[in-house]
Amino acid sequence: MNHDADQQHPAEANPGYAYGRLAEALTTARNHQNPETRRRARERGRRWRDVLSGMADGRLTIGSRTPVAGLPAWVTPEVVRGGFATGKPAAGGPLLAHETEAARRAGVPENRRDLFAYWLSEEGLGLLHELLDSGRYEVTVPEEAALLTVAWLARAGRRRRRSTSSRNSPRSPASCGSRRSRPASRRPTPVPCTAVPSATPSTHSSGARPAGPWRHSARR
């Protein structure tokens, strides 16, 4: 048996199911009394039309590990009821409301390229570190955790470099003759060291290392 998912031949999806869901969405969008419900129904209708269009022209292979032609396996696809991919990445599309608000607060153009550049600045990384420490954020698709992961790795790398620098730095004159901790049964002896012109203080942070951002479950 071939266990390679890319070599498997998934059963062909029935477009009739997608047509039925599209009809339901269109009926709700036309007849429901609540404007917000009609808006959500129109969005569902758009997604089901994308499904049917992609199935018809071969861009979508429903049930495959890589259902969308041109999208790598690690990209999270937009999926509707029944596991039908629409052909679009789940983390794509226009800016969401909270992204637009973040761009305005940061004073950058309202597009993801400039917003991502801001988050990777010194100020932006500082805000991401605050989110990591508080756990007050929500991740709905894996791609949304990318910037938090970068911030966590950047801080962990700085701490490691500081720790390495501290261990490799020469001892200061004040530490010459200090005594190393030994078992009580042995007589302590002076620690040899080489005098240097000035002390080299340690900048290692002794705080507890934060858990990776993927481990936080608190919601914003």
Side-chain angles (χ1 to χ4, degrees):
M1 180 178 178
N2 187 349
H3 294 285
D4 187 343
D6 288 330
Q7 300 299 321
Q8 301 300 316
H9 300 283
E12 184 177 350
N14 182 3
Y17 178 86
Y19 277 114
R21 301 290 77 75
L22 174 60
E24 290 179 359
L26 293 178
T27 299
T28 301
R30 183 176 61 252
N31 298 330
H32 203 280
Q33 295 181 351
N34 187 289
E36 180 60 21
T37 301
R38 292 198 301 271
R39 185 196 66 78
R40 290 196 300 267
R42 287 194 296 270
E43 177 60 20
R44 288 198 303 275
R46 188 275 302 169
R47 293 175 180 174
W48 283 114
R49 281 193 294 268
D50 288 344
V51 169
L52 290 166
S53 175
M55 293 177 68
D57 62 20
R59 287 183 296 110
L60 297 178
T61 306
I62 306 301
S64 169
R65 178 172 175 267
T66 52
V68 183
L71 286 185
W74 54 264
V75 173
T76 306
E78 181 184 60
V79 177
V80 291
R81 178 186 292 183
F84 286 75
T86 67
K88 293 180 170 57
L95 291 184
L96 300 179
H98 71 271
E99 293 178 300
T100 301
E101 181 184 353
R104 290 174 180 170
R105 287 200 309 266
V108 300
E110 295 178 13
N111 62 74
R112 288 199 176 97
R113 179 184 294 273
D114 289 292
L115 188 54
F116 286 5
Y118 166 75
W119 286 122
L120 295 176
S121 68
E122 197 67 28
E123 179 181 353
L125 286 172
L127 294 175
L128 291 174
H129 291 154
E130 291 178 8
L131 289 176
L132 286 172
D133 293 337
S134 68
R136 298 181 59 195
Y137 56 85
E138 179 178 358
V139 175
T140 57
V141 292
E143 288 83 346
E144 292 180 348
L147 289 169
L148 289 170
T149 304
V150 170
W152 184 86
L153 290 171
R155 182 162 63 178
R158 283 200 299 267
R159 288 179 172 176
R160 177 165 296 185
R161 286 193 299 272
R162 289 173 180 174
S163 177
T164 301
S165 174
S166 173
R167 289 196 300 269
N168 294 338
S169 62
R171 294 179 179 274
S172 67
S175 66
C176 293
S178 63
R179 298 179 183 273
R180 190 189 302 274
S181 176
R182 301 279 186 173
S185 60
R186 298 183 60 183
R187 182 179 179 181
T189 57
V191 177
C193 78
T194 302
V196 293
S198 61
T200 306
S202 168
T203 56
H204 173 62
S205 172
S206 59
R209 180 177 178 180
W214 50 86
R215 297 182 59 185
H216 286 274
S217 60
R219 291 183 176 271
R220 178 170 53 193

